[in-house]
Amino acid sequence: MMIMNKKRYTVLLFIASGLLAALASCDRSHYDLKMASDSGIYLTIRDVKSIYQGQDIKLGKDIDKIYGTVISDAASGNIPRGYLVIQQGPAGIAIALKDSSGKMSFVPGDSVTVNIEGASLIKENGNMMISGPSLSDITKLGKGSPIKPTPVLLEALVNHFDTYNETLIKVAAADIVPTPAAEETYSGSKGLSDGSTGPGQIHLYTFPGSALADSLALSNASYTGIAMYGNAPASTDSLEKQLWLRNYSDISNTSIPLTSDIIITGIMADPRGSDEKVKGNVTNYSTGVTIVHKGGYEYIQLMALKDIDFSKTPYSVVVCTNGAATSKGWAEGGKTTFKFNLTQGSATQGTFFYVGSAAKVIAGYWPDGLSTDISGANWIRAIQVDLGNTSKVAGDGFGNSTTGLLSNSGPADGVAVFKGTEVTGSTVPVDAVFFNSPVGAALNGGNGYLIPASSDLYSAVNKKTGAKQPLFGEGTNTFVIEGGTGGDDSQFMQMGGVLSQNGWIVIRHPTVEVLNRTSPLSAIEDGGGVTFFRK
């Protein structure tokens, strides 16, 4: 319909007059407008879009120009020919030229005015757009400041898509679902997941034939693009909520590949009370509480990154206590290293399981009793590590009876995971974490503890110099967890981090969770600071 009747014309003049008055009394940048020297009336993109009431509208002389910053990139071809998307503050709109054969030379960041007199305000495939201007109706004012993308979780995008529609947004660390096959490209529609909502409700869309279409799809990346509705490939009658990339620089590979199916996610090295107690030992308190010990109280929390049946795919966990490292490293045994074989039980993808001493309580024991029983958690291996005879082997294959499985002071001590149960001085772990500082004798001349070939924490090759550094303490391999050992508190060392089956999204960043006698299992499996697996 044509906006020419007197009533509507008066309303529009009132809107324009009010806007001009506001501009006279306020900072113009607040409205993201630029007033030209001619007599044209510039309304905001938001004002123009608000006129639409469900029917196409023919724009007359009362609304003849809009202003904005280009956010699309026609050069990549990842946008329909003849389309230009501009944004002004929090609102954007697409311009569909009546002749799409002309060369679109505008690039992101260009400030432009668009003569929209005689054009139509329409909604096509769910997107509001101005249809009908010619290329000559668009005037470049200069190179402005590029629009900064709005960071948004997919949950917010799903629930408020119209708010973000036709604007520049950024989705951080999103998985493509299902995981792309080898050699799969970005061409077409790809479901996204960032863990905030159900997977595949927002799609990354790449136009076949565009410059991006032949690029290999990353399983996880951060994406910047324009939020647009588009036809779902399975049905032209339904619309998808899509993200259109502008060019390859809109893809940021933020994921560190996984190199292990098991990772270390937490360590209880110094529980309240004595770390290790021989089974049957008795402690009497003046409170009248008597504790008959079941065994030691130290333990390690781990996470399975795929479904694992340990009877079919065995692993082992080795701990090293402070002292001078030998040529055998993790396999030294005696009072230096202690091994747990994981040969029974199972763990499902993304779940925690436990290895350690026999008591299976969360935070040692206190004058008013044992701390919370967590024997109901998934314990894959628990050993009576203190047999009361320091020369007797208590570990699975090596490791003497000990009252200190996990030491509480420097030099550094560590925990390592190995695939299989045979561990020699040359066996490389699939994951390892060290705690306490300094490195000290954990690196003893040319002797030390092998670290994983590559992980989020360590690397056997210096990524800057290319130099080999296979041992903890060499080159950049100096990461240790600080805290969690000392005092009467039970301090659980949480490893943190976010990952999916495709890689690390946020690498491990340890924190210390202070536990009390009644802390529940959820204190170390839920909430802030725990390692989170995004399915």
Side-chain angles (χ1 to χ4, degrees):
M1 64 182 177
M2 189 76 167
I3 305 180
M4 294 299 291
N5 66 75
K6 185 175 181 180
K7 181 177 180 181
R8 183 176 291 274
Y9 184 73
T10 301
V11 169
L12 289 171
L13 282 179
F14 177 79
I15 294 173
S17 299
L19 183 62
L20 290 172
L23 286 168
S25 60
C26 301
D27 180 4
R28 290 179 180 178
S29 64
H30 176 74
Y31 296 89
D32 200 16
L33 291 172
K34 178 176 280 188
M35 304 305 295
S37 59
D38 59 26
S39 60
I41 297 174
Y42 289 80
L43 291 181
T44 67
I45 291 174
R46 178 182 286 176
D47 285 336
V48 172
K49 293 178 78 168
S50 70
I51 297 168
Y52 187 84
Q53 300 296 321
Q55 293 180 313
D56 294 354
I57 299 174
K58 191 78 169 178
L59 302 173
K61 291 183 178 180
D62 41 359
I63 304 178
D64 63 349
K65 289 183 176 68
I66 58 172
Y67 161 83
T69 301
V70 175
I71 60 172
S72 57
D73 186 1
S76 72
N78 203 44
I79 192 171
R81 285 187 63 86
Y83 271 45
L84 181 74
V85 185
I86 63 175
Q87 185 171 336
Q88 185 187 86
I93 196 165
I95 311 295
L97 301 181
K98 63 183 176 183
D99 180 5
S100 62
S101 62
K103 182 179 180 180
M104 188 81 73
S105 60
F106 304 105
V107 297
D110 284 347
S111 295
V112 298
T113 59
V114 184
N115 184 351
I116 59 176
E117 181 182 348
S120 296
L121 183 64
I122 68 173
K123 183 170 279 191
E124 185 175 284
N125 290 336
N127 301 304
M128 188 84 68
M129 61 181 60
I130 294 173
S131 176
S134 300
L135 195 57
S136 59
D137 289 322
I138 305 174
T139 302
K140 179 178 176 179
L141 300 177
K143 190 70 175 177
S145 298
I147 296 291
K148 293 182 179 180
T150 301
V152 60
L153 290 173
L154 291 180
E155 179 183 33
L157 194 56
V158 168
N159 295 330
H160 307 284
F161 195 81
D162 287 342
T163 300
Y164 298 101
N165 187 212
E166 299 178 301
T167 67
L168 194 64
I169 63 171
K170 182 173 183 177
V171 176
D175 292 329
I176 288 180
V177 288
T179 302
E183 307 303 316
E184 184 174 339
T185 68
Y186 278 111
S187 182
S189 182
K190 311 288 183 185
L192 293 178
S193 173
D194 68 354
S196 65
T197 188
Q201 297 186 59
I202 299 292
H203 287 74
L204 189 70
Y205 187 77
T206 306
F207 288 83
S210 71
L212 289 165
D214 293 332
S215 300
L216 291 179
L218 300 174
S219 56
N220 179 278
S222 292
Y223 297 104
T224 297
I226 305 172
M228 301 289 287
Y229 285 104
N231 287 325
S235 171
T236 57
D237 296 328
S238 61
L239 294 175
E240 279 186 346
K241 296 172 179 177
Q242 298 176 345
L243 181 63
W244 295 1
L245 305 177
R246 286 100 44 89
N247 46 57
Y248 197 79
S249 64
D250 281 341
I251 303 171
S252 175
N253 184 5
T254 56
S255 179
I256 299 174
L258 299 177
T259 56
S260 173
D261 293 329
I262 293 174
I263 58 168
I264 300 159
T265 57
I267 300 171
M268 174 54 83
D270 192 17
R272 174 69 169 75
S274 178
D275 294 347
E276 303 296 342
K277 280 286 190 180
V278 176
K279 183 178 180 181
N281 275 9
V282 175
T283 299
N284 294 300
Y285 284 102
S286 59
T287 57
V289 172
T290 296
I291 296 175
V292 180
H293 297 283
K294 307 173 187 177
Y297 296 93
E298 297 172 316
Y299 60 89
I300 301 147
Q301 182 194 67
L302 305 104
M303 178 181 281
L305 303 185
K306 71 174 186 179
D307 294 347
I308 301 175
D309 180 342
F310 292 102
S311 67
K312 296 178 180 178
T313 309
Y315 283 81
S316 53
V317 172
V318 178
V319 301
C320 66
T321 58
N322 56 38
T326 72
S327 59
K328 292 183 179 180
W330 294 106
E332 173 62 24
K335 64 179 182 179
T336 304
T337 65
F338 192 102
K339 181 159 71 79
F340 298 82
N341 286 347
L342 282 52
T343 58
Q344 296 180 18
S346 62
T348 58
Q349 185 183 57
T351 63
F352 295 111
F353 65 92
Y354 296 85
V355 170
S357 303
K360 298 182 182 178
V361 295
I362 198 167
Y365 58 97
W366 304 63
D368 46 354
L370 288 171
S371 58
T372 303
D373 185 334
I374 57 170
S375 60
N378 188 12
W379 285 83
I380 298 300
R381 183 67 171 134
I383 296 178
Q384 299 286 346
V385 303
D386 186 356
L387 304 178
N389 181 346
T390 58
S391 64
K392 188 171 183 179
V393 175
D396 291 325
F398 58 77
N400 286 1
S401 171
T402 179
T403 59
L405 180 67
L406 300 167
S407 183
N408 305 147
S409 61
D413 305 299
V415 179
V417 180
F418 296 86
K419 192 165 186 178
T421 59
E422 294 298 320
V423 178
T424 69
S426 61
T427 309
V428 177
V430 294
D431 194 33
V433 171
F434 289 84
F435 59 99
N436 296 331
S437 62
V439 172
L443 182 63
N444 181 26
N447 298 327
Y449 298 99
L450 290 168
I451 47 87
S454 180
S455 75
D456 59 320
L457 303 177
Y458 308 102
S459 177
V461 176
N462 189 309
K463 295 178 182 178
K464 291 185 177 180
T465 66
K468 294 181 179 180
Q469 47 180 42
L471 300 176
F472 169 68
E474 291 183 325
T476 60
N477 291 324
T478 57
F479 173 85
V480 292
I481 305 172
E482 300 287 358
T485 55
D488 286 337
D489 292 329
S490 280
Q491 299 179 354
F492 181 73
M493 293 179 271
Q494 298 183 125
M495 290 304 300
V498 179
L499 69 164
S500 72
Q501 61 185 359
N502 298 317
W504 285 98
I505 298 166
V506 179
I507 65 171
R508 284 174 283 191
H509 49 284
T511 57
V512 173
E513 178 73 9
V514 178
L515 304 175
N516 58 44
R517 191 183 70 81
T518 59
S519 294
L521 180 62
S522 59
I524 60 174
E525 291 196 349
D526 298 307
V530 305
T531 306
F532 177 72
F533 184 84
R534 194 168 80 188
K535 293 185 178 181

